[in-house]
Amino acid sequence: MNLMRLHKNYLFNKINIIIIGIVILISMFLSFVLVKPFETNIEKWNERLISMQSYEQSYLLFVKILMVLLSSYLFGIYFSKQGDDYSLVLTCKVSKNKYLISKILTISLTIFFILFIVILCHLFIGTVFNRWYIFNLNVITHYFEIYLISMTYGILSLISIRLLKSLYAVIIPFSLYILSEVLVDYSTTSKLVKIVEMFFPTTHLSNGNIVLLYGIVHLVILNIFYFIISYFVYIKYKE
């Protein structure tokens, strides 16, 4: 617990606190804009089902982009040479395994907490500024998918920055995510898209619903797979 508290102190420096705050504020602003607060109640009532679906789908897409970007940044900067310099002192007292796992767990819990705040913003703004809005419990599943997707690209950022030893490596996982988004919007039947989605997953719209090409179990397995790779990369390429 003391080790995780130390990780948290390094993670929540002034710059990262500002960045996290900006992400939360952007998510609140987007939620406010998408809920269309200045439309009359009559307009909202007549189009309530379409508006609710559009609000949730659009907001989830923007949140997914923000969380993937934030996760890629946090994992990358936190495991860069500059962000990981205190490991030289700690690994003399604790094992590298414990150090690495506790550090990844600290970031994972931080991302989960941020996403929880975003969910509360979603619920609060949707309820306050649209009296016909009803929170769909299925949205919780989509947020869990967003969490796993952001973790996937975050761990990829860890791997990238340890292999390339450059802060610019954080661009790679986010670029892969954007590529995945573009391809899955183009087609879900192409063999190329299926291969890309297998390793760089994202959700997409199908018949008005948000779905994963390979399902949530695949996301869990993929995160475990990337975690194992990150473990060996971190130990092998320890600076």
Side-chain angles (χ1 to χ4, degrees):
M1 188 62 69
N2 290 332
L3 186 57
M4 289 185 64
R5 189 179 294 113
L6 179 61
H7 289 317
K8 187 179 71 173
N9 290 337
Y10 273 88
L11 179 62
F12 284 94
N13 56 46
K14 289 183 180 180
I15 295 176
N16 288 347
I17 290 175
I18 291 172
I19 291 173
I20 291 170
I22 290 173
V23 168
I24 293 173
L25 287 175
I26 290 175
S27 69
M28 291 177 65
F29 175 75
L30 289 172
S31 180
F32 182 77
V33 171
L34 292 170
V35 82
K36 300 176 181 178
F38 302 112
E39 286 189 358
T40 65
N41 288 331
I42 295 176
E43 289 174 329
K44 291 178 180 178
W45 171 254
N46 292 335
E47 300 181 357
R48 63 191 183 283
L49 295 178
I50 297 175
S51 296
M52 282 176 56
Q53 187 179 41
S54 175
Y55 168 61
E56 289 182 344
Q57 289 177 352
S58 300
Y59 187 60
L60 286 167
L61 173 61
F62 285 122
V63 168
K64 180 173 58 171
I65 294 171
L66 286 173
M67 293 308 298
V68 169
L69 182 58
L70 180 64
S71 182
S72 298
Y73 165 77
L74 289 179
F75 269 93
I77 203 73
Y78 205 34
F79 281 96
S80 65
K81 183 178 180 180
Q82 297 85 346
D84 201 44
D85 55 0
Y86 67 98
S87 66
L88 297 174
V89 177
L90 284 182
T91 50
C92 295
K93 300 178 181 179
V94 299
S95 67
K96 291 181 180 179
N97 293 348
K98 187 176 180 180
Y99 172 83
L100 175 62
I101 292 172
S102 62
K103 193 166 185 175
I104 290 178
L105 185 59
T106 301
I107 307 178
S108 303
L109 291 174
T110 299
I111 293 171
F112 182 85
F113 177 72
I114 295 168
L115 193 57
F116 179 72
I117 294 176
V118 169
I119 294 174
L120 292 181
C121 292
H122 177 157
L123 178 59
F124 176 77
I125 293 175
T127 303
V128 171
F129 293 100
N130 189 334
R131 61 180 296 188
W132 313 116
Y133 175 73
I134 300 175
F135 186 74
N136 187 348
L137 290 178
N138 291 331
V139 171
I140 299 297
T141 301
H142 297 316
Y143 274 114
F144 184 59
E145 291 170 349
I146 289 174
Y147 175 71
L148 290 176
I149 290 171
S150 64
M151 286 298 299
T152 299
Y153 291 97
I155 297 174
L156 281 173
S157 182
L158 187 167
I159 295 170
S160 300
I161 208 159
R162 298 306 298 189
L163 289 175
L164 300 178
K165 297 178 174 59
S166 170
L167 287 175
Y168 294 106
V170 299
I171 298 173
I172 296 175
F174 187 70
S175 298
L176 291 171
Y177 162 71
I178 295 298
L179 174 65
S180 177
E181 282 284 350
V182 172
L183 289 176
V184 81
D185 281 342
Y186 175 72
S187 171
T188 56
T189 57
S190 165
K191 289 184 179 179
L192 173 62
V193 174
K194 289 182 178 179
I195 293 172
V196 171
E197 288 299 307
M198 186 174 293
F199 296 100
F200 311 112
T202 188
T203 53
H204 66 281
L205 284 176
S206 177
N207 298 321
N209 297 313
I210 300 174
V211 297
L212 281 163
L213 191 59
Y214 293 107
I216 201 165
V217 175
H218 165 256
L219 262 182
V220 174
I221 295 173
L222 190 63
N223 269 276
I224 295 172
F225 173 69
Y226 282 143
F227 171 77
I228 293 172
I229 293 177
S230 69
Y231 171 82
F232 287 108
V233 167
Y234 184 83
I235 300 299
K236 197 77 174 177
Y237 290 84
K238 188 81 175 101
E239 293 170 317

